Amino acid sequence: MKKKQVTLYYALLPVVFLVVTLYYSVQVAKLDVHIPIFISAIFAALVAKVSGCATWNELEDGVVDTIKMSMRAILILMIIGMVIGSWILSGVVPTMIYYGLKIIHPTVFLPVTVVICSIVSIATGSSWSTASTVGIALVGIGEGLGLPRPIIAGAIISGAYFGDKLSPMSDTTTLAPAMAGSNLFEHIKHMLYTTVPAYTITLISFVILGLKKTAGGEVDIAQINEILDTLSGAFNINPFLLLIPAFVIGMVIMKVPAIPGLFIGSLIGSGAAVLVQGASLKEALYSLHYGYVGNTGMPMVDELLTRGGLDSMMWTVSLILCAMTFGGIMEKSGMLGRIAQEILKFANTDGKLILATILTPIFVNNVAGDQYLSIVIPGRMFKESYEERGLAAKNLSRALEDSGTMSSPLVPWNTCGAFMMSALGVGPWVYVPYCFFNLISPILSIIYGFTGFTIEKIKVTTQLYSYKK
């Protein structure tokens, strides 16, 4: 059968099918999202075959290529499971929770969490490293203070993605200007117009939320003391254990690749479990594979510490593989690009073009399940349109980050969303309303697009572009 371009009708069919199956599985049947996503992938492949836009071999190659793109993330995810298990057994996480409960006041915990995660993510350029190091400890501290985990996760993700968006060491921060044709540092400077207001509103929101959640004596001091006593009774609390996460963060800052750096961190954690906590080699290896199982006698502490291990990440890995299968078929068949091209027909003003730029990466994050695709595909699509309308490339790169990077952890089957759920121990969607920074950034970008605020123009003079002052 001769290959042809897919029509909009055929391109939309798998998306509608996905929405319907997800709604039934999650809302009606109360099942996980894996099977509906995989069934939707098979349906998308059938549509591609019927429409004649791709052969099975091409679709299979597309799936394999897309999964290859996510393999680094999958490997990191598996190693993070080992890190969590070994760091709990070694006393690293209990020590971080212990001192955090002693130092951080409940009323300021949420904004402090945002700031701590922002600093670490700026230094490392990685939201994943931030969530899997200080993030897992902050969850324990926050729950010890009586705060709901979804709110804590929202604060951690907000701070973690501040650095993921702005740090020159972040993959997405370098990818967005590369796709748009702008300069890295011009891109970062231009993002400050949306980032600073969004971050300020986020901090204020968490200050108010923190005051509300701790008002009226909601924080149980007796419970905090009981947690402290339980932790000190079950583990050898030693401040020198804090050097382990500091060392791992330092390796990331020094550009040690994430996979060996984090794996070294898990091995050091296992060594500390043997030397500091008196664990056996068998227990140390068990924690790497199956995680830590709490038996302190205090249900709250046991529930908090029973986590980690390679096995704990398999649910997330399988979710990523299902999402990448669907995304690969949609990308290779041309369905994803066809839908995105249709959006351009309505982008006949600067404001509508920027709105389309914001919505398209969000759509790609939901359909393809990968934040890199959400930047690469729209970046390639919209670059020429921005040039034709005389818009500076940094407007495009900022919009890509404000939507593609910021929305990626909000989608449960996206690689970023799946990672955050596993690392922080939260369920799908429950944390999304509290990811204030991630929700506010694209809204501000849309407002700027329609008002023209901070939208820089270019003018054409004998085939050369120069910025209009």
Side-chain angles (χ1 to χ4, degrees):
M1 184 181 292
K2 186 179 178 181
K3 184 179 176 182
K4 58 183 180 181
Q5 186 180 23
V6 66
T7 65
L8 181 62
Y9 170 77
Y10 281 120
L12 287 174
L13 274 179
V15 178
V16 174
F17 187 86
L18 175 66
V19 171
V20 173
T21 53
L22 280 175
Y23 177 82
Y24 172 78
S25 298
V26 176
Q27 297 296 327
V28 180
K30 307 298 181 184
L31 300 173
D32 289 330
V33 297
H34 299 60
I35 298 304
I37 293 176
F38 193 79
I39 292 174
S40 298
I42 301 302
F43 180 78
L46 292 174
V47 171
K49 282 287 293 177
V50 170
S51 64
C53 62
T55 66
W56 170 250
N57 287 336
E58 289 173 332
L59 295 176
E60 196 173 72
D61 289 341
V63 170
V64 172
D65 290 341
T66 307
I67 289 176
K68 281 181 181 178
M69 290 180 60
S70 66
M71 280 309 301
R72 180 175 175 271
I74 288 173
L75 289 172
I76 292 174
L77 193 62
M78 293 164 63
I79 294 171
I80 289 298
M82 301 181 202
V83 169
I84 294 173
S86 67
W87 281 16
I88 294 175
L89 180 65
S90 66
V92 171
V93 172
T95 297
M96 295 171 78
I97 295 172
Y98 182 87
Y99 287 114
L101 286 172
K102 278 183 166 291
I103 295 171
I104 303 177
H105 194 275
T107 56
V108 297
F109 170 78
L110 292 174
V112 166
T113 292
V114 175
V115 172
I116 290 173
C117 291
S118 300
I119 294 171
V120 175
S121 63
I122 280 286
T124 62
S126 171
S127 56
W128 287 31
S129 296
T130 302
S132 60
T133 52
V134 297
I136 58 176
L138 288 166
V139 167
I141 297 168
E143 289 202 323
L145 296 172
L147 294 168
R149 185 174 294 198
I151 297 178
I152 303 166
I156 292 169
I157 293 171
S158 292
Y161 274 82
F162 174 81
D164 204 331
K165 182 183 180 185
L166 282 184
S167 175
M169 292 182 288
S170 167
D171 290 345
T172 56
T173 307
T174 56
L175 181 62
M179 290 297 102
S182 61
N183 175 275
L184 172 61
F185 290 100
E186 278 189 349
H187 165 64
I188 292 173
K189 183 179 177 182
H190 200 54
M191 282 198 297
L192 292 175
Y193 290 115
T194 54
T195 302
V196 172
Y199 192 73
T200 302
I201 296 170
T202 296
L203 285 176
I204 293 171
S205 299
F206 278 117
V207 167
I208 295 171
L209 197 55
L211 291 172
K212 180 181 178 182
K213 289 295 179 181
T214 55
E218 288 185 32
V219 177
D220 189 345
I221 301 300
Q223 177 177 273
I224 293 175
N225 289 330
E226 185 181 358
I227 293 171
L228 292 173
D229 292 339
T230 301
L231 290 173
S232 61
F235 297 91
N236 181 8
I237 302 298
N238 192 322
F240 286 106
L241 289 170
L242 300 179
L243 293 176
I244 296 176
F247 176 71
V248 172
I249 292 171
M251 283 196 294
V252 177
I253 294 173
M254 297 300 292
K255 293 291 187 178
V256 174
I259 290 175
L262 289 170
F263 186 65
I264 290 171
S266 69
L267 293 180
I268 295 174
S270 297
V274 174
L275 297 174
V276 180
Q277 304 299 335
S280 66
L281 180 59
K282 177 182 177 180
E283 289 173 325
L285 293 174
Y286 185 94
S287 71
L288 290 174
H289 193 167
Y290 301 105
Y292 179 84
V293 179
N295 56 359
T296 64
M298 185 178 181
M300 180 180 179
V301 174
D302 289 341
E303 182 181 351
L304 177 63
L305 298 181
T306 300
R307 46 192 314 229
L310 177 67
D311 271 12
S312 70
M313 295 300 177
M314 291 302 105
W315 185 95
T316 306
V317 168
S318 61
L319 174 58
I320 291 172
L321 292 175
C322 290
M324 292 300 100
T325 300
F326 181 75
I329 291 171
M330 292 293 291
E331 162 74 358
K332 192 67 176 181
S333 64
M335 296 185 204
L336 203 57
R338 181 67 184 86
I339 295 170
Q341 287 173 4
E342 197 68 21
I343 298 173
L344 276 173
K345 294 181 179 180
F346 300 94
N348 53 9
T349 66
D350 291 351
K352 289 180 180 179
L353 179 59
I354 291 172
L355 174 63
T357 311
I358 296 293
L359 295 179
T360 304
I362 295 173
F363 171 77
V364 175
N365 265 326
N366 277 272
V367 174
D370 183 79
Q371 73 166 342
Y372 297 113
L373 287 176
S374 75
I375 291 175
V376 172
I377 294 173
R380 291 191 311 225
M381 278 180 46
F382 292 115
K383 183 179 178 182
E384 187 177 337
S385 297
Y386 273 71
E387 292 173 352
E388 290 174 354
R389 296 198 65 82
L391 294 171
K394 58 186 175 181
N395 297 307
L396 172 57
S397 61
R398 181 177 72 183
L400 292 173
E401 285 256 59
D402 280 339
S403 55
T405 303
M406 291 296 99
S407 66
S408 60
L410 309 183
V411 182
W413 51 86
N414 187 282
T415 51
C416 295
F419 176 87
M420 290 298 162
M421 287 193 304
S422 290
L424 304 178
V426 288
W429 292 295
V430 294
Y431 61 96
V432 172
Y434 306 105
C435 297
F436 299 130
F437 182 68
N438 303 69
L439 295 170
I440 295 169
S441 293
I443 294 174
L444 287 178
S445 206
I446 292 171
I447 293 172
Y448 288 3
F450 281 102
T451 61
F453 180 64
T454 75
I455 303 301
E456 294 200 27
K457 293 274 191 174
I458 55 176
K459 59 182 180 181
V460 182
T461 56
T462 61
Q463 297 182 341
L464 293 175
Y465 292 109
S466 62
Y467 285 103
K468 185 186 289 183
K469 301 282 186 176

